[in-house]
Amino acid sequence: EAEVAQSPRYKITEKSQAVAFWCDPISGHATLYWYRQILGQGPELLVQFQDESVVDDSQLPKDRFSAERLKGVDSTLKIQPAELGDSAMYLCASSFGTSGGSVISETQYFGPGTRLLVL
Amino acid sequence: AQKITQTQPGMFVQEKEAVTLDCTYDTSDPSYGLFWYKQPSSGEMIFLIYQGSYDQQNATEGRYSLNFQKARKSANLVISASQLGDSAMYFCAMSDQTGANNLFFGTGTRLTVIP
């Protein structure tokens, strides 16, 4: 069964260091999402790609976060410098498209996530 | 703006019994999608069930069914014949079909199945 791949699964870093997370979506999925989930809360969208283009990055803290999906397939999310408040689960998801109205196009499938701890 | 409310921080259910997890939503958009995801302690979000705002019938997927009451803006998840493996966090989410299809999540309900 096709899955969204993410690495690393766990990352411990010190504040002010740089960290990077990688995501490989389900083959054929044009849309890729990065979410941040703080302990005890639901995930919140950071950035959304349609192929290689950013569709929505309004919630991405652009002074320290960056995301890219250069060839429209896999994606990297970077934090530089990391802060204590960045400790969270970072989830990647993918879907066929963004046009609504059907379970096939809309449903987002999530990877296992990366648990980040900033010390 | 879209908003999802899950008022039950935690729920307990006896094995083999049915349980209902509550979800209410708020949106001014006529077209939207409603989702339920399961998040075990391992962390990944597992898609369970989807309901479109224009769907006439309640969605069902195996032991999962979605009790969709559009006028009340509620989308409760019903799990029948609970199993020990159902113990997890459950999140209700809504997509904005008129926009970029972002998902807005509630705060989740932790379900514990008792043997």
Side-chain angles (χ1 to χ4, degrees):
Chain A
E1 183 174 306
E3 295 179 341
V4 177
Q6 286 189 252
S7 67
R9 293 293 306 275
Y10 305 91
K11 180 70 177 178
I12 299 175
T13 189
E14 294 183 345
K15 67 178 182 177
S16 79
Q17 296 297 306
V19 292
F21 313 130
W22 176 81
C23 172
D24 192 14
I26 294 172
S27 178
H29 280 192
T31 311
L32 185 146
Y33 311 79
W34 283 102
Y35 290 86
R36 177 170 61 185
Q37 184 179 22
I38 296 170
L39 191 64
Q41 299 181 19
E44 293 184 330
L45 181 74
L46 290 174
V47 62
Q48 177 188 354
F49 290 91
Q50 176 70 22
D51 298 313
E52 67 276 6
S53 300
V54 173
V55 174
D56 184 355
D57 63 357
S58 58
Q59 300 304 311
L60 189 71
K62 298 182 187 63
D63 57 335
R64 298 186 299 109
F65 285 65
S66 63
E68 61 183 18
R69 193 185 184 197
L70 294 177
K71 297 183 179 179
V73 181
D74 59 340
S75 174
T76 302
L77 178 69
K78 297 179 181 178
I79 308 175
Q80 183 174 16
E83 296 181 352
L84 298 178
D86 295 332
S87 294
M89 171 78 92
Y90 290 82
L91 293 160
C92 178
S94 69
S95 68
F96 269 112
T98 58
S99 59
S102 79
V103 61
I104 295 175
S105 65
E106 276 205 78
T107 300
Q108 297 182 25
Y109 295 91
F110 286 77
T114 297
R115 293 184 190 269
L116 173 67
L117 178 61
V118 181
L119 301 176
Chain B
Q2 289 76 11
K3 184 178 180 181
I4 293 283
T5 302
Q6 294 181 256
T7 58
Q8 305 157 315
M11 288 284 288
F12 292 87
V13 63
Q14 203 75 34
E15 194 178 5
K16 301 180 184 178
E17 297 294 313
V19 63
T20 298
L21 306 184
D22 295 341
C23 173
T24 58
Y25 61 92
D26 188 22
T27 181
S28 57
D29 296 318
S31 180
Y32 50 89
L34 295 159
F35 300 79
W36 277 92
Y37 285 85
K38 172 185 178 181
Q39 188 175 42
S41 56
S42 57
E44 67 179 296
M45 301 286 282
I46 302 169
F47 166 68
L48 297 178
I49 196 166
Y50 164 89
Q51 180 86 41
S53 58
Y54 293 118
D55 292 344
Q56 295 296 313
Q57 292 188 327
N58 287 342
T60 61
E61 286 288 346
R63 294 187 299 111
Y64 305 108
S65 60
L66 199 152
N67 184 0
F68 181 46
Q69 299 188 41
K70 195 169 183 177
R72 295 186 177 185
K73 293 189 175 180
S74 73
N76 299 339
L77 176 70
V78 180
I79 305 175
S80 62
S82 295
Q83 302 171 357
L84 296 178
D86 294 335
S87 294
M89 283 291 289
Y90 288 81
F91 289 93
C92 180
M94 177 170 61
S95 67
D96 170 16
Q97 295 180 357
T98 61
N101 197 36
N102 297 336
L103 282 180
F104 298 88
F105 286 84
T107 52
T109 296
R110 180 171 296 283
L111 177 67
T112 302
V113 180
I114 304 168

